[in-house]
Amino acid sequence: MNYKILLYILLSIACSEMSFAQSNDLFIPRNVQKALTDKTRSLDGKPGSNYWQNRSDYVMDIAFDPATRLLKGKEKITYFNNSPDTLRDIYVHLYPNFFKKGIARDFSINLKDEGDGVEIEKITYQGKVLSNESGKHQISYNGTLAILKLESPLLPKTKAELTFDWNYVLCKAGGVRTGTIDSTSFFVAYFFPHIAVYDDIDGWNDFQYTGGVEFYNDFSNFDVSITVPKNYTVHASGELLNPSDVLSQKYVKRYKEALISDKIINIIDSNDIAGKDITTQNDKNTWKYKAVNITDFAFGLSDHYLWDGSGLVVNKSTGRRVFIDAVYNKNSKDYYQVAKTARDEINYMSNVLPGYPFPFPKETVFNGVGGMEYPMMVNDSSVPDSDMVGLAAHEISHSYFPFFMGINESKHAWMDEGWAAYIDYMTASALYNIQLIKNSRVAQYKKAIGTDADVPIIVDSRYLKSPV
Ligand SMILES: [Zn+2]
C-alpha cells in the first residue's frame, strides 16, 4: 500500500529526529505531537493504529477548443471523509488562478499568460446548488482557493457528492508547468477544481499556489473524457480506454502492438502526419482515460506530434507490463531516442534504484515546455541529447517520489527533489556514463556553500526561496 511505504520512509527519517528530540526533551511541533498522541503517527516510523487518509473519485467531462484555448469542464466528485472529524467546510484548489491578473506569485510570468482565472459556473454539494445569493455565503474565493461552507456538515466516515461546472482560457504563451507549446500543441495540467488535502497533521492544507512551491493531493481515482477536434491525439495520466473510437484502424493496430512490444514501435511517424487520417474523422473525438489511486491528472494534445512506444515487463514474478511512450515534435531531434531512453531508465529504476517495480501502468514523456512531472506523464522541453537523458530520468523518477509515496511537496520538497536528483544522477551515470548533471548541480550549490543562504536541507519549502 502506498501510504504504508510512504510513512515508513518518511517517518524512518523523521523518527530518528523525534526519538532524539524526545530523549533530550527537545521541541516536537505541536501538530506532530498531536498526531502522535492521537496514534495516527508513531515514533517507530510505521503508520499509527488510527491512521487515515481522505480520498475522492473524480469523473470529469472536459472539452478543449485549440482555436480559442477555451477549456470547459463538468466534474463530479465523490469525496470520502475517512477522518474522525466533522467537516464544516471543504477547501478546493483552483490552480489556474495562478495566471489570474493581479494574483500574488513568487516570480514574474510572461504577461501574455495572464487571464481572468477560472470561471465557476455552478457548484453543488449533496445535490444542492451552493450560492452566495439571498443572504447566503456558501462559497468564498481566496486567490487559488475556493472555500465551501457546508450547511449540513460532512460527518466522519461518510461521503459527499460534489459537482463543479467551470471554464477558463488556457494560457497563451508557454505558461508555468501548463500551457501552449505551439499553435496546435498544448499541455494541460492543474486545470480542474481539486479538493485540498485534509490530513491528521494540518487539517485542511489551505496553501496558496504561488508557483515556487509544488503540490500535495490525496490518492484518488480519475475517470476522464476529453473531447477535442479530429486530428488531435490526446495523451494523459491513466490508461486509454477507447483507442478504437478515436484512432483509425491502422493506428489502433500499431498502438496495440506497442503495448506488448519489447521493441520501440513508431505508432505515428513523420510520414504519417500529412495524411490527416490518424484519428477517427468525426468533427470531434472523445478520448477516455482512467487511472486508479493517483494524486493528480494531466494531459497533452497535438495535431502534428510523433508517437513512439513499447511495453516493458517491470515485475518478472507477476509479468506486469508498463507502457512507455514519447510524444514529440518532429523537429525535436533529441526526442527520437526518448522512448528508448525512458524505457531503459524505467527498467533501471524498477530493478536497481529504487529497485521497486515501476508503480504505474504507463509513462508518457511529452515534448512540452520546461521540465515537470505529473502522475504517469512528463512534460519536457527539447534539450541537447545528453541533457535529455538526465532530464527524462529526473522527471520520471518523480513517479516514485512524490507520486507513489504521496509526499507533501508543499512542505517537504527536499524529499522528492532530493530523491529525484539522486536517482537521475545514478541512472544517467550507470546507463550512459553521463556526469553533466553532477557538474551543473555542484556549480549551483557552490554559490551557497558556507554562506547564510546554506540553510538546513529539511527547512519547510514554504519558507525557502530560490536565489534568482
Ligand atoms: Zn524535480
Side-chain angles (χ1 to χ4, degrees), residues 168-190:
Y168 74 93
V169 176
L170 188 72
C171 44
K172 189 175 185 178
V176 176
R177 306 184 176 111
T178 174
T180 302
I181 300 161
D182 62 39
S183 61
T184 55
S185 306
F186 307 88
F187 198 87
V188 183
Y190 318 114

Side-chain angles (χ1 to χ4, degrees), residues 373 394-395 398 417 420:
E373 71 278 7
H394 180 92
E395 307 305 349
H398 277 305
E417 293 304 337

Side-chain angles (χ1 to χ4, degrees), residues 1-14 41 45-47 51-53 197 199-201 216-219 295 356 400-409 412 415-416 419:
M1 294 288 290
N2 297 349
Y3 71 85
K4 288 185 178 166
I5 299 167
L6 159 68
L7 282 172
Y8 185 77
I9 292 190
L10 298 198
L11 291 179
S12 295
I13 296 163
R41 313 274 169 145
K46 292 178 183 160
Y51 186 70
W52 52 267
Q53 288 182 340
V197 176
D199 70 15
D200 58 321
I201 300 287
Y216 179 39
N217 296 303
D218 289 322
F219 287 101
T295 52
Y356 187 93
Y400 293 90
F401 312 93
F403 298 133
F404 184 47
M405 313 303 284
I407 291 169
N408 181 350
E409 300 172 272
H412 310 303
M415 290 191 189
D416 63 290
W419 276 109

Side-chain angles (χ1 to χ4, degrees), residues 195-270:
I195 295 189
V197 176
Y198 183 84
D199 70 15
D200 58 321
I201 300 287
D202 293 319
W204 285 112
N205 280 253
D206 56 350
F207 61 89
Q208 294 286 332
Y209 174 50
T210 51
V213 171
E214 295 183 341
F215 306 92
Y216 179 39
N217 296 303
D218 289 322
F219 287 101
S220 292
N221 297 331
F222 291 87
D223 197 335
V224 185
S225 300
I226 303 163
T227 301
V228 296
K230 66 183 173 189
N231 298 326
Y232 278 85
T233 60
V234 176
H235 309 266
S237 304
E239 292 175 283
L240 178 60
L241 297 182
N242 63 337
S244 303
D245 293 342
V246 292
L247 290 168
S248 57
Q249 221 172 6
K250 175 176 159 189
Y251 297 94
V252 173
K253 192 162 169 279
R254 288 188 193 169
Y255 168 71
K256 289 189 172 171
E257 191 187 345
L259 290 176
I260 53 167
S261 169
D262 289 329
K263 291 197 181 121
I264 308 296
I265 302 293
N266 304 121
I267 303 166
I268 301 173
D269 69 26
S270 50

Side-chain angles (χ1 to χ4, degrees), residues 307-321:
W307 187 8
D308 304 334
S310 73
L312 172 72
V313 173
V314 294
N315 187 332
K316 292 189 178 67
S317 59
T318 64
R320 186 169 68 80
R321 194 175 272 275

